[in-house]
Amino acid sequence: MSQGNDLVFENGDLSVGGSDEQHISHLLLSSPLDWLQHPLTGVNTVAQVNGSNTQRLKRNIIEQLKLDGYLVKRLSVDADFLIDLEVE
């Protein structure tokens, strides 16, 4: 998928590649109840940015990524809620 979440075609077929970055992005942007089979999945960063608690946002990001099998190696959220994240 492209950055705009559009399907990408190469040589007349769907493009296939790594999806971790896209998957993490969807997890950060989605909200609980967005995923029918996993109703507790989603960080809901958009709603949390309107708050003022970066620590709660960081805890939520770490918890959601851990539940999805990722290990957070580095995570910072600055005063403007810009997220710097490294996972393995």
Side-chain angles (χ1 to χ4, degrees):
M1 292 178 86
S2 70
Q3 292 291 340
N5 292 324
D6 294 321
L7 295 176
V8 176
F9 292 89
E10 290 181 4
N11 300 323
D13 203 357
L14 283 172
S15 175
V16 178
S19 62
D20 280 332
E21 185 176 325
Q22 177 184 349
H23 180 74
I24 291 169
S25 174
H26 288 161
L27 184 64
L28 294 177
L29 293 173
S30 64
S31 302
L33 302 178
D34 282 352
W35 304 100
L36 182 63
Q37 293 181 335
H38 305 282
L40 300 179
T41 298
V43 175
N44 197 12
T45 53
V46 174
Q48 292 192 43
V49 165
N50 293 328
S52 60
N53 192 339
T54 59
Q55 291 304 317
R56 182 172 14 148
L57 175 60
K58 288 169 69 172
R59 277 193 311 271
N60 197 4
I61 290 171
I62 291 169
E63 178 183 334
Q64 290 290 323
L65 290 173
K66 183 179 177 182
L67 289 170
D68 217 26
Y70 292 99
L71 173 64
V72 176
K73 294 177 72 176
R74 184 184 72 243
L75 172 62
S76 64
V77 180
D78 70 11
D80 294 324
F81 285 89
L82 294 175
I83 298 170
D84 181 31
L85 176 66
E86 180 182 353
V87 299
E88 67 175 35

